[in-house]
Amino acid sequence: MSVTRRHLLAAGAGAAVAAGVQQGASAADLPPLGTYDVVVIGSGAAGMTAALTAVKQGLSTVVLEKAPTFGGSAARSGAGIWIPNNPVLLAAGVPDTPAKAAAYLAAVVGPDVPAARQRAFLTHGPAMISFVMANSPLRFRWMEGYSDYYPELPGGLPNGRSIEPEQFDGKLLGAELAHLNPPYLDVPAGLVVFSADYKWLALSAVSVKGAAVAAECLARGTKAALLGQTPLTMGQSLAAGLRKGLLDAGVPVRLNTPLTELYVENGTVAGAVTPGGLYRARRGVIVGSGGFEHNAAMRAQYQRQPIGTEWTVGAKENTGDGIRAGQRLGADVALMDDAWWGPAIPLPDEPYFCLAERTLPGGLVVNAAGRRFVNEAAPYSDVVHTMYDRNPTDPDIPAWLVVDQNYRNRYLFRDIAPTFVLPADWYGSGAAHKAWTVDALAASIGVPAAALRTTVDRFNSLALKGDDTDFGRGDSAYDHYYTDPSVLPNSCLAPLWLPPYYAFRLVPGDLGTKGGLVTDARARVLRPDGSVILGLYAAGNASAAVMGHSYAGAGSTIGPAMTFGYVAGRDIAGVL
């Protein structure tokens, strides 16, 4: 890593602040709130996995959580977990090997992330899954068919490596269940739905398998009700299961307890300062406090415009507290310009992270010029990267997802059933538009009518042939995951022909930021010169992502977050 003047200035400023913390925030000045071997900042997937690991190594541990709830962004998520060669995959017969995984990750990530960190993730990820299953009620299932995002690369798997939590009974948490961060989208009442089910639920009106999956979701819900359970899946299951592991191990989770400063003693991070006082750490502090997606100033400083806090679905408490505390001690940061991007529809209540809707046949995405500019079915992070790359010269923000009534008659849209009327406030806010002709739709969204008409005609001709020679939609196995297998010859492509027509505004949404504190293969936080800040560890979105600027598969956020939380806990215990 080259050391620039900026790095040297940052290191000097950090050292000065560290000295100030030692002198101005001595233990005598801070009310003592407890002494533990390990203090963990944040109760998301990274933080709770780290805490569970530390306590199971015999270390007294506390978790400090800024929010009034536990679970962070993980609790809001679909909880896909991407970890090659994990025991759940191998038990399901997935043909993965260490060599395939290493080749694939290297091809996806490239030179952005040191090989040692990539190896650490691949080495410790499977052990982490085994550890979590042995020390919590969590169990996992393979998301069969959810392709790696670049399955054509060396080592890529078209049937995927992603797993997700099995159903969990929330009643096992007792009163603590009331403190679980709610999901990003509620599951319909009476249903028990896994992430892998959504692919088929979107098709339930036109697919025999889709209808069967919907019936299975209802049957699970009915069974849970008869058994008196509170069924949780996806991120709710993951967060609740980890929290149950901590409850059983006696690890306290202090809610409404934000980090204000890292406490340094004799050159080593030795605790966390909160508004109420000091939590001392004998062995180390693990920062798992999430990214900075809700910090407008940081987003403006580090990321491309247009950007803001209103398009993210990350937990609202994620304002970069842990990252900034580390920077004040001289920590290096990386990937701050990037996020776990995905096109989002800015609905009046909250942004909707658009997955299946932009991939299903019968829709296309256009820019301000009324032209297509991207493979709509590409990995969601790639679509937003393209939006930002092209926007300065050929405006693509916002873009527009254009569909027809045939599409609306066939497919679920967010949680709106086929043929059902879209909410009036979608139209009132400008997130959705509707018109009886393509020209009228163009006028409504402010793009050239002739260009949009030409684009739709061109797209229709390609769809009828089943070959998108313009952008390659359908060339990758990944492109076909959220599609309609009954549409031939290409399940990604169908013409738009039935009025009225609809357009949905697309902006650069995200699941959270992916830049943060630079760490080594042992999850230790580093300065710009590569030296270790003693006693300080980071995992999850508070750390610079092991995925670099890319995205290997569903769960590339949570899988590494949990893995490096596990690595940090073991390193502190001296058993890595």
Side-chain angles (χ1 to χ4, degrees):
M1 178 185 300
S2 63
V3 180
T4 65
R5 181 175 180 273
R6 177 185 63 83
H7 283 143
L8 291 171
L9 289 171
V17 171
V21 171
Q22 287 177 276
Q23 295 166 7
S26 70
D29 299 328
L30 297 166
L33 297 176
T35 299
Y36 300 83
D37 293 321
V38 179
V39 174
V40 176
I41 311 299
S43 66
M48 287 199 285
T49 304
L52 188 63
T53 305
V55 74
K56 290 298 179 178
Q57 296 302 322
L59 303 180
S60 62
T61 305
V62 66
V63 177
L64 309 182
E65 171 55 56
K66 176 182 183 180
T69 56
F70 70 87
S73 292
R76 292 172 53 79
S77 74
I81 299 171
W82 194 86
I83 293 178
N85 291 297
N86 74 67
V88 178
L89 293 179
L90 299 182
V94 176
D96 204 1
T97 67
K100 284 182 183 177
Y104 178 68
L105 188 62
V108 168
V109 173
D112 291 333
V113 176
R117 284 196 72 217
Q118 296 182 45
R119 285 195 302 272
F121 167 59
L122 295 175
T123 298
H124 297 292
M128 181 276 294
I129 291 294
S130 295
F131 168 82
V132 166
M133 290 194 293
N135 292 282
S136 80
L138 277 170
R139 298 295 179 267
F140 302 93
R141 50 165 42 203
W142 177 35
M143 300 172 72
E144 183 175 1
Y146 203 152
S147 172
D148 284 344
Y149 287 178
Y150 307 96
E152 295 78 21
L153 291 179
L157 296 184
N159 270 333
R161 293 177 162 101
S162 302
I163 62 174
E164 64 173 310
E166 283 281 11
Q167 182 178 330
F168 179 84
D169 181 9
K171 288 191 174 176
L172 295 175
L173 277 180
E176 192 63 17
L177 179 60
H179 299 132
L180 174 61
N181 200 21
Y184 157 54
L185 287 177
D186 286 319
V187 172
L191 302 184
V192 173
V193 180
F194 293 105
S195 274
D197 294 332
Y198 275 104
K199 162 189 170 67
W200 294 107
L201 292 179
L203 306 174
S204 57
V206 295
S207 162
V208 172
K209 183 168 183 179
V213 169
E216 186 178 354
C217 293
L218 178 59
R220 290 190 207 115
T222 302
K223 180 179 179 181
L226 291 173
L227 293 173
Q229 297 176 342
T230 300
L232 304 176
T233 57
M234 298 181 281
Q236 296 287 281
S237 174
L238 179 63
L242 288 171
R243 183 68 185 94
K244 175 61 173 169
L246 295 182
L247 276 174
D248 292 345
V251 176
V253 176
R254 307 294 189 210
L255 303 177
N256 298 298
T257 307
L259 171 73
T260 58
E261 200 64 76
L262 292 165
Y263 176 72
V264 179
E265 194 169 77
N266 299 322
T268 299
V269 175
V273 181
T274 72
L278 172 64
Y279 288 85
R280 278 186 170 275
R282 299 185 192 93
R283 305 284 287 271
V285 174
I286 304 173
V287 177
S289 52
F292 59 93
E293 55 267 24
H294 284 280
N295 185 319
M298 289 182 74
R299 298 206 82 152
Q301 176 183 357
Y302 291 109
Q303 300 187 325
R304 289 185 279 185
Q305 295 293 330
I307 196 63
T309 60
E310 66 274 15
W311 296 337
T312 182
V313 300
K316 64 181 181 295
E317 292 82 10
N318 290 351
T319 55
D321 301 355
I323 298 170
R324 287 180 292 140
Q327 287 180 292
R328 289 192 290 270
L329 298 188
D332 197 11
V333 293
L335 304 175
M336 298 291 280
D337 60 324
D338 216 340
W340 303 99
W341 301 115
I345 302 172
L347 298 177
D349 52 345
E350 64 178 350
Y352 175 62
F353 197 86
C354 197
L355 287 174
E357 292 81 3
R358 64 186 168 80
T359 301
L360 287 162
L364 69 156
V365 173
V366 300
N367 61 13
R371 295 190 297 261
R372 289 180 74 207
F373 61 93
V374 71
N375 167 14
E376 295 89 349
Y380 34 91
S381 58
D382 287 355
V383 175
V384 173
H385 281 142
T386 299
M387 291 171 74
Y388 272 122
D389 290 345
R390 292 173 46 94
N391 193 60
T393 56
D394 192 14
D396 299 325
I397 302 172
W400 298 95
L401 170 62
V402 177
V403 306
D404 70 347
Q405 188 62 44
N406 180 55
Y407 173 107
R408 284 292 302 121
N409 289 344
R410 295 174 63 85
Y411 308 125
L412 186 74
F413 198 99
R414 200 184 78 158
D415 54 355
I416 309 297
T419 74
F420 278 51
V421 175
L422 299 175
D425 62 355
W426 289 21
Y427 296 112
S429 70
H433 295 252
K434 177 182 176 181
W436 285 92
T437 67
V438 171
D439 284 13
L441 187 70
S444 184
I445 63 176
V447 306
L452 183 60
R453 191 167 60 251
T454 298
T455 296
V456 171
D457 288 344
R458 169 69 177 170
F459 179 82
N460 286 351
S461 69
L462 298 175
L464 290 169
K465 295 174 185 175
D467 186 9
D468 179 15
T469 53
D470 289 347
F471 293 97
R473 180 168 166 181
D475 290 354
S476 171
Y478 171 77
D479 294 358
H480 293 271
Y481 182 70
Y482 285 114
T483 55
D484 183 349
S486 70
V487 172
L488 298 174
N490 185 334
S491 70
C492 294
L493 299 172
L496 287 69
W497 58 272
L498 182 64
Y501 299 94
Y502 301 81
F504 300 91
R505 190 169 185 256
L506 293 179
V507 296
D510 65 72
L511 303 170
T513 51
K514 66 159 51 176
L517 303 172
V518 173
T519 57
D520 65 7
R522 293 162 58 182
R524 301 179 301 177
V525 175
L526 305 178
R527 298 183 181 89
D529 64 3
S531 63
V532 173
I533 297 179
L534 297 178
L536 186 60
Y537 295 76
N541 287 351
S543 63
V546 74
M547 293 293 158
H549 289 290
S550 197
Y551 212 134
S556 291
T557 309
I558 293 177
M562 296 176 70
T563 299
F564 283 106
Y566 171 79
V567 166
R570 289 183 63 83
D571 193 72
I572 288 177
V575 295
L576 188 63

